Amino acid sequence: MITKTRDRSPVRWRAHGPGLPMGLLIAILLALTGCSPPKRLTAVPQSETTLAQIPGIPNARYFPDTQIDLMAQETLAARNREIAALAQEGQSGPLPDTDILAVSGGGADGAFGAGLLTGWTEAGTRPEFKLVTGVSTGALTAPFAFLGSAWDPQLTTVYTGIKPADVFEKRGFTAAIWNDAMSDTAPLWRLISRFANQDMLTAIAREYAKGRLLLIGTTDLDARRPVIWNIGAIAASGQPHALDLFRKILLASAAIPAVFPPVLIDVEVNGQPYQEMHVDGGAIAQMFLYPPALAHAEILRSKNPRPIRAWLIRNSRLDPDWATVERSTMSIAQDAITTMIQTSGMNDVIRIYLTAMRDHVDYNLAYIGRDFTFEPKEDFDPVFMRALYDYGHAKARAGYPWAKRPPWVPAGETVFSAAPLPRAAGASVPLN
């Protein structure tokens, strides 16, 4: 067992050294006179939030709290595309079993999920997923997971071949006042652009035509609402700005508020241009499978109900992460935020479990276990990420012991005992 001391809190930005001389402090304050935060186009008015669209791509994204009907239409269309694609291959009869994958946020801990996926490939049991969802670092993993094992080498490079300078550049201490974040993610944009290229977008469009779905979650900070991006529809749109939008979505999903800059996305309402401010999808949910109200959409029903298996990769530990907290404002604030993020992730795990039990979906959970104790020396420490990647890879290659319930749910406890609800073909999509 490898043992080191690890600080598991998010990216920490601390001011070190003695206080500034008064003369220098006054000079700095005078130099800042007239400075102002970065500008942006007008935000979408509150009354028109759900009317905003990406130019040329009407089905690019959804607000899952109010647009379940539109998501249901998309899942129905996906099923029809799947049937048509199978017919072209000469296949008929019941549709094949459905495997769906959700990859959570977790920053550098995303190396666990990357290693697990590639180890799963080597084990020879990794399925092709009909649906893949991702948030934050999971959003960066999701396209590779969606496209399959042929993209494993690129996925491995993303999580084992980078260093902190490939993700962010720290800004000066005045960024807290005059800028939109404490760091610059221009390096991450370059990394995303290297791998999220036209070849990847074309491949995603090809799989979308077969009825498969790739969904990425961000947070619309103006509206304070979750947004689910339909990456396949964007890829298949043929719009010249599709690739740039794809990259912005990946960057936005990983944009930790205040630490990484938000991403501004151009939208229109009745021809009027606006900009939405998007940040890390983890601000609302660290992981999602499908909106609970979408339970009976076509991805979950057919004329002959098919088995559905849900695979959840939680790029984090699920046991409490004890630490001594300094009695200082910044330390208390940082550790409180860390606690909220950890608890949010645990709530997502249990929410998805309860939804899966209600909908009679086979539940399978992977997470970083207590047996991994290697500690990073810095944010996005390449040695740590390699160790975590190898840990996930070895576990999966040997046959990962997928948990059938969250670790705090007693074995044998009955959550739902009712018989499966009918999923008759052609029935309307009820909302819960």
Side-chain angles (χ1 to χ4, degrees):
M1 180 181 294
I2 305 173
T3 57
K4 288 188 180 180
T5 301
R6 181 184 181 190
D7 174 6
R8 292 189 181 278
S9 58
V11 180
R12 293 178 180 257
W13 308 95
R14 297 182 182 274
H16 297 279
L20 293 172
M22 181 59 68
L24 178 57
L25 179 59
I26 293 174
I28 291 174
L29 292 176
L30 289 174
L32 291 175
T33 302
C35 293
S36 61
K39 301 296 184 182
R40 59 173 293 194
L41 290 182
T42 303
V44 179
Q46 180 180 1
S47 61
E48 299 180 339
T49 296
T50 58
L51 300 179
Q53 292 189 350
I54 301 299
I57 318 177
N59 59 338
R61 57 38 170 329
Y62 311 97
F63 290 96
D65 53 345
T66 58
Q67 295 182 328
I68 288 296
D69 55 337
L70 296 179
M71 295 190 70
Q73 291 174 23
E74 176 62 17
T75 56
L76 175 59
R79 178 173 175 268
N80 290 338
R81 291 194 302 271
E82 180 185 14
I83 292 172
L86 291 173
Q88 288 183 347
E89 298 174 359
Q91 299 184 41
S92 60
L95 293 174
D97 294 359
T98 294
D99 289 279
I100 51 183
L101 171 71
V103 190
S104 84
D109 285 353
F112 167 71
L116 189 150
L117 285 165
T118 59
W120 200 355
T121 296
E122 293 188 20
T125 56
R126 176 176 162 183
E128 178 182 85
F129 304 106
K130 178 172 173 59
L131 167 68
V132 176
T133 72
V135 173
S136 197
T137 192
L140 303 181
T141 301
F144 298 103
F146 179 75
L147 293 176
S149 58
W151 293 74
D152 282 0
Q154 295 93 319
L155 176 60
T156 299
T157 299
V158 169
Y159 282 96
T160 65
I162 66 169
K163 52 188 180 298
D166 295 316
V167 180
F168 63 89
E169 296 174 352
K170 289 186 179 181
R171 291 172 171 167
F173 73 94
T174 58
I177 303 173
W178 302 118
N179 222 313
D180 55 3
M182 295 303 297
S183 65
D184 185 343
T185 49
L188 180 57
W189 173 259
R190 291 191 291 269
L191 180 67
I192 289 172
S193 298
R194 176 183 168 192
F195 293 96
N197 52 30
Q198 188 58 52
D199 288 343
M200 173 177 276
L201 200 66
T202 299
I204 291 172
R206 185 167 55 247
E207 296 307 311
Y208 178 75
K210 298 177 184 178
R212 300 177 62 216
L213 296 172
L214 172 60
L215 306 178
I216 300 297
T218 67
T219 298
D220 181 338
L221 200 57
D222 296 314
R224 302 184 184 182
R225 300 169 72 176
V227 176
I228 295 179
W229 293 89
N230 188 358
I231 304 301
I234 294 170
S237 69
Q239 292 293 319
H241 60 283
L243 180 57
D244 184 67
L245 175 62
F246 175 39
R247 291 168 173 170
K248 284 184 176 180
I249 293 166
L250 296 181
L251 185 65
S253 189
I256 306 169
V259 177
F260 292 165
V263 176
L264 299 176
I265 295 180
D266 296 326
V267 297
E268 290 183 353
V269 178
N270 299 322
Q272 178 70 32
Y274 296 99
Q275 277 186 330
E276 295 176 341
M277 180 179 287
H278 286 257
V279 298
D280 193 335
I284 289 179
Q286 295 289 312
M287 177 169 52
F288 72 97
L289 195 61
Y290 56 84
L294 200 61
H296 299 158
E298 287 301 319
I299 200 169
L300 296 177
R301 68 177 176 88
S302 64
K303 183 175 182 179
N304 297 304
R306 47 179 168 169
I308 303 165
R309 291 177 290 269
W311 308 92
L312 281 65
I313 299 177
R314 174 65 181 140
N315 288 309
S316 179
R317 292 175 54 160
L318 291 180
D319 56 306
D321 191 15
W322 186 93
T324 299
V325 181
E326 298 176 11
R327 191 172 179 179
S328 67
T329 301
M330 289 303 297
S331 181
I332 293 171
Q334 288 174 151
D335 284 280
I337 292 172
T338 298
T339 300
M340 287 188 288
I341 291 173
Q342 182 183 26
T343 303
S344 173
M346 295 171 69
N347 288 340
D348 292 332
V349 166
I350 191 67
R351 169 179 50 79
I352 294 174
Y353 173 71
L354 293 175
T355 301
M357 293 301 97
R358 183 199 66 181
D359 299 338
H360 305 278
V361 172
D362 184 35
Y363 180 94
N364 301 274
L365 172 67
Y367 56 94
I368 301 173
R370 296 183 180 183
D371 55 333
F372 182 79
T373 56
F374 194 98
E375 307 297 338
K377 295 182 178 179
E378 59 182 337
D379 297 308
F380 298 96
D381 177 358
V383 177
F384 164 79
M385 293 178 71
R386 180 80 232 192
L388 185 53
Y389 174 92
D390 290 342
Y391 168 82
H393 184 275
K395 288 271 188 178
R397 186 177 182 181
Y400 191 86
W402 294 89
K404 305 304 293 184
R405 63 186 64 80
W408 51 85
V409 174
E413 181 170 314
T414 300
V415 179
F416 291 99
S417 59
L421 296 173
R423 299 172 180 173
S428 60
V429 180
L431 304 182
N432 294 305

